[in-house]
Amino acid sequence: MKDFHQYLRHEESLDPTDWVGLRQLAHQALDAMFDLHEGIHDDPAWVQPTPEAKAAMTGPIPQQPATAEAVYANFQQNVLPFPKGNIHPRFFAWVQGTGTPMAIISELLAAGTNPNVAIGDHAAMYVDQQVINWMKEMFNFPSNASGILLSGATMANVTGIQVARNSYPGLEVRKKGLQQVEQQLLLYASAETHSCVQKAAEVAGIGEAGIRYVRVGKDYRLDIDHLEELLAADRAAGHLPFCLVGNAGTVNTGAIDPLEDMLRIARREQMWFHVDGAFGALAKLVPEYQTELAAIEAADSLAFDLHKWMYMPYELGCLLVRDAEAHRKAFALQPNYLLSHERGLAAGPDPVTNFGIELSRGFKALKIWMELQYQGLDKFARLIRQNIAQCFYLGELIEAADDLELLTPVTLNIVCYRFHPAGLAADQINAVNKEILMRLHEEGIASPSYTLLEGRYAIRVAHVNHRTRSSDMELLVKETQRIGQDVMNEIK
Ligand SMILES: *Cc1c(COP(=O)(O)O)cnc(C)c1O
């Protein structure tokens, strides 16, 4: 027999005994975050973590308590000085958003109220629904469409492709699994498609072999003729094309696939048309991109991020699905412990878990719910257009410079360029540019990232940064040239 009575004599909790002290520390921490954001223009773009800071992350699990002040001091000393830098005005790496001061507040409130936004009759469920409805409105999806907030576009793509597979007529994959399907299920996407679509295909059980990578043209957009060729050959071989994925802004170059043509083909072939619009879909808010991105409105599903071009802090992605019934049928389960009631806390909206894999989920919706009220959607449209304008400007600066080369035409918010002095072999040019990139980082000047375009090392600016000014682009160009010259002098 286990006797636990003795443990009831001194009951405790994780709440502080000293609320005053912790409250003071909380105010100090909040001030530190606002100081950080307010002063970010004067900070270096990146500071390498010191050996001491890294060593501070190698200790054993603490068994005994420390004071709150000591814990905070550890953060101040070993974490705060070495940020990734994506809130900095010259952060342009990968495609990573900046966050906002208002969202600092909403993340605090989300953590403080700490609802599990999976099930139940409580305000957070309605905030979540409201945000999904706003997202539908933003992309002109029908009001009876469905959606789910997820950790990011990866999970949104995984979830969308899962719906495509589960709702394919006649297969009953949820019930029977894929082993019963005789034909090979095939998903089509351009060769420039983000790697998370391959993960999605793997999760969907069709594997890498189930993906047909369609060639891209010189503009990095999917080649429609090649898509038609592949489809014809696969049909002739008795395979089952079930899903076509269109890119609204590829990660490498920002290319927008010919979505209208792809939509037409998907309809003709009775394939699910899914759009990965991780960041690029948001350009639909800008009038100049309405036509190019119009097909998004007719897509069966759309994956996009709010932590990229809606500037929200991590993590926040979204999937919209035109056919709410298909979406629900792809995931809904009703175990005894999750049955909705008519009244009481267990009433309320349809449990969110009926629309995705996850059960427990945080209050992701609050930050975007508060930010959209605070700024208004128009502000976001203006900022997105401002980012695009800054990229076109950067492209012009690069083209005007003798020693720089623009590697792809600027079409959206990605600029790929390199330092290109005369008289160097291809591999030397690549090495020089890699060196330039590392020094841009190490000197704290700016944080672009990199890619390889047909074997050419590109310094890559992916711009979803609301703090950037044109002068930051000018500085990036000047410093690339300066460092490039330094490296050339060292080689000689
Ligand atoms: C970033 C990105 C993804 C993955 O999104 P996460 O939010 O990082 O999971 C998918 N597709 C494209 C085009 C992206 O840029």
Side-chain angles (χ1 to χ4, degrees):
M1 271 299 286
K2 298 189 175 75
D3 181 9
F4 283 107
H5 283 101
Q6 54 170 315
Y7 301 110
L8 296 176
R9 259 174 255 137
H10 301 286
E11 291 177 324
E12 52 184 1
S13 83
L14 296 173
D15 288 336
T17 46
D18 172 20
W19 282 94
V20 175
L22 199 65
R23 186 185 296 261
Q24 273 169 3
L25 185 62
H27 285 288
Q28 199 186 325
L30 189 61
D31 278 337
M33 288 304 99
F34 274 84
D35 288 346
L36 177 68
H37 278 238
E38 195 180 350
I40 195 68
H41 287 264
D42 302 323
D43 286 352
W46 179 70
V47 181
Q48 191 190 6
T50 56
E52 295 75 32
K54 290 191 240 181
M57 304 304 158
T58 56
I61 188 165
Q63 297 291 349
Q64 297 306 320
T67 63
E69 289 71 21
V71 175
Y72 184 64
N74 193 354
F75 171 81
Q76 275 181 310
Q77 193 178 340
N78 296 309
V79 181
L80 188 55
F82 314 109
K84 187 162 197 182
N86 47 314
I87 65 172
H88 191 278
R90 283 188 301 280
F91 183 93
F92 309 117
W94 302 287
V95 190
Q96 301 195 350
T98 44
T100 71
M102 176 54 105
I104 297 173
I105 301 173
S106 39
E107 289 288 75
L108 176 73
L109 301 177
T113 54
N114 190 32
N116 183 341
V117 192
I119 183 170
D121 196 5
H122 54 103
M125 290 289 283
Y126 297 97
V127 173
D128 197 78
Q129 271 193 336
Q130 171 71 96
V131 169
I132 289 295
N133 284 330
W134 284 348
M135 295 301 105
K136 282 155 38 178
E137 204 181 322
M138 198 161 86
F139 287 106
N140 238 346
F141 263 56
S143 59
N144 61 358
S146 56
I148 182 169
L149 298 177
L150 295 152
S151 56
T154 296
M155 283 314 296
N157 281 306
V158 166
T159 308
I161 286 163
Q162 200 81 5
V163 180
R165 187 202 67 175
N166 287 2
S167 62
Y168 195 88
L171 293 186
E172 292 182 273
V173 175
R174 277 194 82 187
K175 193 179 200 142
K176 300 179 182 165
L178 272 182
Q179 262 103 341
Q180 309 298 319
V181 181
E182 278 170 24
Q183 288 170 291
Q184 188 175 10
L185 282 168
L186 292 175
L187 176 148
Y188 298 74
S190 99
E192 288 287 295
T193 301
H194 194 278
S195 57
C196 72
V197 171
Q198 179 175 332
K199 287 189 185 173
E202 290 166 6
V203 171
I206 65 169
E208 199 185 346
I211 309 179
R212 291 286 187 263
Y213 284 113
V214 184
R215 268 199 308 265
V216 294
K218 280 216 169 313
D219 52 7
Y220 295 92
R221 301 165 76 223
L222 176 136
D223 177 343
I224 287 288
D225 293 339
H226 190 223
L227 173 62
E228 292 281 26
E229 275 171 42
L230 290 173
L231 277 168
D234 288 330
R235 289 282 185 204
H239 300 321
L240 198 59
F242 81 104
C243 183
L244 178 59
V245 177
N247 288 298
T250 58
V251 65
N252 260 344
T253 70
I256 298 170
D257 282 339
L259 300 176
E260 207 69 52
D261 293 338
M262 293 172 77
L263 173 68
R264 184 176 41 76
I265 291 170
R267 290 284 173 270
R268 187 192 72 206
E269 300 282 331
Q270 296 183 338
M271 298 164 83
W272 186 276
F273 185 48
H274 173 80
V275 174
D276 177 10
F279 60 92
L282 276 306
K284 199 167 175 301
L285 297 179
V286 177
E288 286 86 343
Y289 289 82
Q290 283 291 341
T291 318
E292 224 173 323
L293 294 171
I296 283 179
E297 293 177 16
D300 293 304
S301 50
L302 169 68
F304 63 97
D305 270 319
L306 293 105
H307 58 215
K308 288 179 177 171
W309 227 353
M310 287 292 278
Y311 314 105
M312 287 295 97
Y314 288 93
E315 306 151 347
L316 190 54
C318 183
L319 173 74
L320 296 179
V321 180
R322 169 164 305 274
D323 180 348
E325 192 56 26
H327 187 183
R328 194 177 193 284
K329 276 196 181 141
F331 296 107
L333 284 177
Q334 292 264 287
N336 293 337
Y337 42 85
L338 292 176
L339 293 177
S340 289
H341 288 36
E342 297 79 32
R343 299 190 325 279
L345 176 59
D350 201 0
V352 182
T353 186
N354 286 334
F355 296 89
I357 305 276
E358 292 176 322
L359 178 56
S360 290
R361 47 204 295 281
F363 199 176
K364 298 178 197 312
L366 188 65
K367 50 193 164 196
I368 190 66
W369 184 74
M370 289 181 67
E371 193 79 38
L372 276 169
Q373 293 177 73
Y374 177 55
Q375 304 280 8
L377 185 60
D378 269 4
K379 179 73 170 278
F380 286 92
R382 292 203 302 278
L383 285 170
I384 291 165
R385 182 155 55 187
Q386 173 175 305
N387 289 158
I388 296 169
Q390 288 165 339
C391 282
F392 276 84
Y393 178 58
L394 175 61
E396 286 164 23
L397 293 176
I398 290 162
E399 289 203 297
D402 291 341
D403 49 1
L404 298 180
E405 181 187 9
L406 192 62
L407 289 174
T408 60
V410 180
T411 56
L412 195 63
N413 64 331
I414 294 188
V415 183
C416 293
Y417 72 100
R418 63 178 178 172
F419 183 70
H420 192 188
L424 285 190
D427 57 335
Q428 284 176 309
I429 299 177
N430 282 355
V432 166
N433 279 282
K434 188 174 174 192
E435 182 62 28
I436 292 172
L437 185 85
M438 293 189 289
R439 292 195 196 179
L440 281 169
H441 294 172
E442 283 172 339
E443 294 180 25
I445 295 164
S447 302
S449 56
Y450 45 83
T451 191
L452 280 181
L453 296 171
E454 288 155 15
R456 298 168 305 176
Y457 188 95
I459 300 174
R460 172 174 162 283
V461 168
H463 187 23
V464 291
N465 192 327
H466 64 86
R467 296 197 174 91
T468 308
R469 296 286 173 267
S470 309
S471 54
D472 292 308
M473 296 306 190
E474 290 159 8
L475 186 81
L476 174 63
V477 167
K478 268 211 319 254
E479 292 292 287
T480 304
Q481 291 173 303
R482 178 187 62 79
I483 296 173
Q485 281 309 330
D486 286 353
V487 175
M488 288 303 290
N489 292 338
E490 288 165 27
I491 293 176
K492 286 173 195 159

